[in-house]
Amino acid sequence: MYSLIERLASQLPLQIAANGLNMTMGNSTTPGNTEPINISGLTQLATLWKILSAFGVAQDWIKLFLLGTVLETVRRFAYTIWYRIIDSFFLTATFESDDDAYSWLMVWVSRQPNWRKARDVQVSTRSWGLEVQDNSTRGIMLPGEAGDPTSQRPLHLLPSFGLPQTFWYKGHWMRLTRSRRAVNENDNIEVLTISILARSQRVLYDLLTESKRQYQESETHRVSIYTVGPYYNDWRRSGSRPKRPLDSVVLEHGLKEMVLHDAQEFINSEAWYAARGLPWRRGYLLYGVPGSGKTSLVFSIAGELNLDIYVINLGKRGLDDSGLTELVSELPPRSIALIEEIDAVFTRGLNRETSKEEEGANTKNSISLGGLLSAIDGIQASEGRLLFATTNNYNALDPALIRAGRLDVHVEFTEATQFQVEELFKRFFWVTDGTPKVVSDAKPLASSTSRYVRPQPEELTKEECDRLASEFAARIPNREFAMSSIQGFLLMHKYRPSQVVKEVDAWVEKERAAKRERERAKASQDSKGSPKDPSDSKGPPSPPPEEATA
Ligand SMILES: Nc1ncnc2c1ncn2[C@@H]1O[C@H](COP(=O)(O)OP(=O)(O)OP(=O)(O)O)[C@@H](O)[C@H]1O
């Protein structure tokens, strides 16, 4: 192209001369001089322009080019203006699936009456974190399934991906688009974009309030559980559990009431703490034997006080001190942070004297004692939260961790006392509404060839139930078995209380034998794992403890 222009340029003076034109170019000094053109810099451009101008077709091209440029500029300008105008009439909000608000909106959308007439929908059995529990949250039942208690998977109609859906909300036209956004090469999150034809944000707030209220109403009888997300150190709602009545947790007299009252008082005393310059935080350490009701009590208190539970798993892969601090600082006020088995993340008790190297060698992750302490009550620790920590190994915990200000209230859980056993029995076989609790709701087995004959459920009066309960409790040795074991035994005969009493002695013997066997196995494992006496030079060198126990 350039060589073509050069050729044209060298021929031009000849043509100009032939046409009788008089032009001065480059460094020519004489009118009519036709020296070769010196093309360089700006002069080169000017020359090119003159060359092109000399041709009629080139002029047309230039005009066309200029016209195109002007038209495109005008188009872009008009486009921007148009969208500015449109945007000023529309409110747009986006919701991402790793946030609670997304679930509110999805549940709200799936419940819109006109949504059921939509012609382009995604059919899903997912309930968006909302547990299906009553007719209002059941979604759509297929014909013939309504009223069938065995049909547990109602369907929900949801916006399909990509295609925008439009509908009306409180007299406002609304467009809803559901899409996906990649978070990394393997995973993506869903995004819901809602544009509402409205100038005021009020309609958006109305929509949010309505969807949140609907969602929360259906969750009134449940406790929401949050865990740490898979990619980042952020909180995700991982599900919910039905609220556990406080009286279903059987503890010694007044113990659970004391914890509940303390927690309730704390939640309501923000101003009290502020007035005294105290950090508004309270920690509870529930320690004792496994299966004695520690976790059950936390869930029960969360239900009583309407608090969500945020489970901190110290053993989570990749969680380090700064991640833990970040998580704790993001806990919302009036929530429960639950650290289960606070000792278990360390293979042995951490204490102040443990060096960093030792900690590293003995921990499964990178949480240090210092990191844990500063997460609990450091400068970034959130206010207004209740911390519950549980452990089976109280002695393994460092005094700094369990001092007042970090874990203020310590509650011991022991093996079942006779009082607990008796209460548990009554709770199992008697309901408080005064009707005899007995009758099984289970249907007979379908198979007629089965040799198993289902025992008949028993009916009993309150007096009979109380009598059996105290007889049962008297046969269970005090503080020998965990409540969870006794519950397991009762569950084997859940409709036959007198059978429970008949079999209790045999059960106690069986449990004792099993316990002895476990202890024997543990002792032999410990002895294999313990280092050999160095004076014993005959045998092979003993393996390190980790290998021996592996
Ligand atoms: N005190 C109790 N009252 C009623 N039920 C109990 C009690 N203790 C244990 N259970 C029952 O035993 C099971 C285990 O209880 P839970 O998980 O609360 O025990 P835990 O002390 O937290 O055990 P772990 O230390 O192993 O985590 C639950 O099903 C619970 O219903």
Side-chain angles (χ1 to χ4, degrees):
M1 182 71 184
Y2 184 76
S3 59
L4 178 73
I5 292 170
E6 237 180 356
R7 230 179 33 240
L8 282 171
S10 63
Q11 287 171 8
L12 189 69
L14 301 174
Q15 288 187 15
I16 292 168
N19 291 339
L21 293 173
N22 186 10
M23 285 183 77
T24 304
M25 290 193 172
N27 56 359
S28 63
T29 48
T30 322
N33 187 355
T34 57
E35 276 178 51
I37 302 164
N38 181 11
I39 299 173
S40 69
L42 283 176
T43 320
Q44 187 183 10
L45 276 177
T47 310
L48 194 61
W49 168 256
K50 284 179 182 165
I51 293 166
L52 290 172
S53 309
F55 296 94
V57 178
Q59 281 181 359
D60 289 346
W61 285 355
I62 292 166
K63 280 182 198 160
L64 214 58
F65 172 74
L66 289 176
L67 190 67
T69 309
V70 170
L71 280 179
E72 178 59 17
T73 310
V74 169
R75 191 190 70 81
R76 288 189 186 194
F77 185 67
Y79 189 83
T80 311
I81 296 286
W82 170 252
Y83 273 92
R84 286 256 166 91
I85 293 170
I86 292 290
D87 284 352
S88 69
F89 288 107
F90 275 93
L91 281 172
T92 301
T94 53
F95 303 85
E96 296 188 345
S97 56
D98 54 6
D99 191 85
D100 280 0
Y102 187 86
S103 302
W104 308 342
L105 259 290
M106 288 303 270
V107 170
W108 179 84
V109 165
S110 68
R111 288 204 201 163
Q112 292 309 297
N114 53 355
W115 195 247
R116 301 197 172 189
K117 296 183 210 137
R119 305 191 65 82
D120 185 356
V121 288
Q122 183 198 15
V123 180
S124 170
T125 51
R126 271 186 75 180
S127 56
W128 296 97
L130 196 68
E131 311 308 322
V132 176
Q133 50 189 316
D134 56 41
N135 284 337
S136 67
T137 54
R138 277 188 78 82
I140 295 174
M141 301 303 291
L142 293 174
E145 281 197 342
D148 177 0
T150 59
S151 174
Q152 297 297 327
R153 304 302 305 262
L155 301 171
H156 300 267
L157 300 187
L158 303 167
S160 52
F161 284 96
L163 273 181
Q165 310 274 351
T166 57
F167 53 98
W168 292 88
Y169 174 67
K170 291 196 170 176
H172 294 273
W173 186 83
M174 182 192 270
R175 188 180 56 211
L176 188 146
T177 315
R178 191 170 164 216
S179 54
R180 287 196 175 99
R181 182 169 67 75
V183 281
N184 59 37
E185 56 190 25
N186 297 323
D187 297 289
N188 49 43
I189 55 169
E190 295 180 13
V191 181
L192 202 63
T193 308
I194 288 187
S195 300
I196 309 172
L197 186 58
R199 298 221 60 171
S200 149
Q201 288 197 334
R202 219 174 119 195
V203 61
L204 179 63
Y205 293 142
D206 285 353
L207 174 64
L208 290 175
T209 312
E210 188 179 322
S211 52
K212 185 179 175 189
R213 186 179 40 75
Q214 273 187 10
Y215 187 87
Q216 286 179 338
E217 268 171 14
S218 41
E219 286 286 276
T220 335
H221 305 296
R222 305 185 73 87
V223 172
S224 293
I225 301 161
Y226 290 79
T227 50
V228 183
Y231 311 115
Y232 312 108
N233 283 328
D234 57 355
W235 290 109
R236 308 275 171 95
R237 186 178 186 282
S238 61
S240 66
R241 274 201 204 172
K243 284 183 179 170
R244 181 170 180 151
L246 192 64
D247 56 0
S248 76
V249 184
V250 185
L251 298 177
E252 276 300 292
H253 286 293
L255 200 57
K256 62 191 180 196
E257 289 79 5
M258 180 277 285
V259 180
L260 175 67
H261 180 251
D262 191 275
Q264 195 163 30
E265 204 176 73
F266 166 78
I267 287 289
N268 297 326
S269 32
E270 182 176 6
W272 190 93
Y273 276 82
R276 284 153 187 81
L278 298 173
W280 186 37
R281 292 192 282 263
R282 193 121 176 108
Y284 300 82
L285 177 65
L286 312 184
Y287 68 96
V289 293
S292 52
K294 300 182 287 297
T295 312
S296 307
L297 181 64
V298 177
F299 274 87
S300 177
I301 286 177
E304 291 288 329
L305 301 180
N306 279 324
L307 304 176
D308 296 335
I309 295 185
Y310 290 75
V311 182
I312 300 174
N313 177 4
L314 294 180
K316 184 179 184 285
R317 187 189 288 263
L319 184 66
D320 59 10
D321 289 348
S322 61
L324 180 64
T325 306
E326 191 184 330
L327 280 175
V328 173
S329 67
E330 282 171 9
L331 285 170
R334 294 170 203 280
S335 62
I336 286 183
L338 172 61
I339 306 181
E340 289 219 78
E341 297 178 18
I342 196 165
D343 60 298
V345 72
F346 311 110
T347 51
R348 63 184 171 80
L350 263 193
N351 57 51
R352 282 264 161 104
E353 282 71 49
T354 311
S355 69
K356 194 76 188 172
E357 293 73 42
E358 282 179 299
E359 281 181 24
N362 286 287
T363 57
K364 297 185 193 110
N365 66 7
S366 40
I367 303 274
S368 69
L369 174 62
L372 185 57
L373 297 183
S374 73
I376 292 178
D377 69 349
I379 197 84
Q380 288 191 56
S382 63
E383 300 250 318
R385 54 100 188 115
L386 294 160
L387 170 66
F388 279 89
T390 70
T391 179
N392 302 140
N393 195 356
Y394 185 83
N395 294 329
L397 303 178
D398 188 277
L401 181 63
I402 57 178
R403 72 149 168 78
R406 292 198 175 108
L407 292 169
D408 311 82
V409 181
H410 298 187
V411 183
E412 185 178 7
F413 287 66
T414 61
E415 279 91 357
T417 62
Q418 284 187 333
F419 166 79
Q420 285 177 284
V421 175
E422 193 170 331
E423 288 302 306
L424 190 68
F425 186 100
K426 288 181 191 165
R427 276 207 57 80
F428 243 78
F429 298 111
W430 187 256
V431 279
T432 45
D433 63 5
T435 53
K437 168 153 184 167
V438 210
V439 190
S440 156
D441 50 1
K443 295 188 178 134
L445 292 176
S447 162
S448 56
T449 57
S450 168
R451 293 191 176 182
Y452 174 72
V453 181
R454 196 165 190 280
Q456 282 301 304
E458 298 165 15
E459 292 219 5
L460 74 173
T461 62
K462 173 93 174 74
E463 290 67 36
E464 282 168 342
C465 182
D466 288 351
R467 185 183 52 76
L468 286 175
S470 63
E471 203 176 317
F472 177 68
R475 306 253 195 107
I476 301 256
N478 199 34
R479 299 203 175 187
E480 188 170 330
F481 299 108
M483 286 291 272
S484 57
S485 311
I486 298 165
Q487 175 183 276
F489 175 51
L490 296 181
L491 276 170
M492 281 164 31
H493 306 286
K494 58 181 182 290
Y495 302 114
R496 295 181 305 140
S498 55
Q499 192 64 25
V500 167
V501 178
K502 269 187 212 149
E503 291 188 14
V504 62
D505 292 337
W507 178 80
V508 167
E509 280 317 308
K510 208 170 120 211
E511 282 295 299
R512 281 180 173 162
K515 203 171 172 182
R516 276 195 299 273
E517 181 56 32
R518 280 196 300 272
E519 280 167 3
R520 200 193 53 75
K522 187 169 180 298
S524 91
Q525 206 173 38
D526 286 351
S527 67
K528 272 191 218 158
S530 61
K532 274 198 147 195
D533 183 355
S535 62
D536 181 4
S537 54
K538 288 178 203 158
S542 54
E546 293 82 14
E547 285 178 27
T549 54

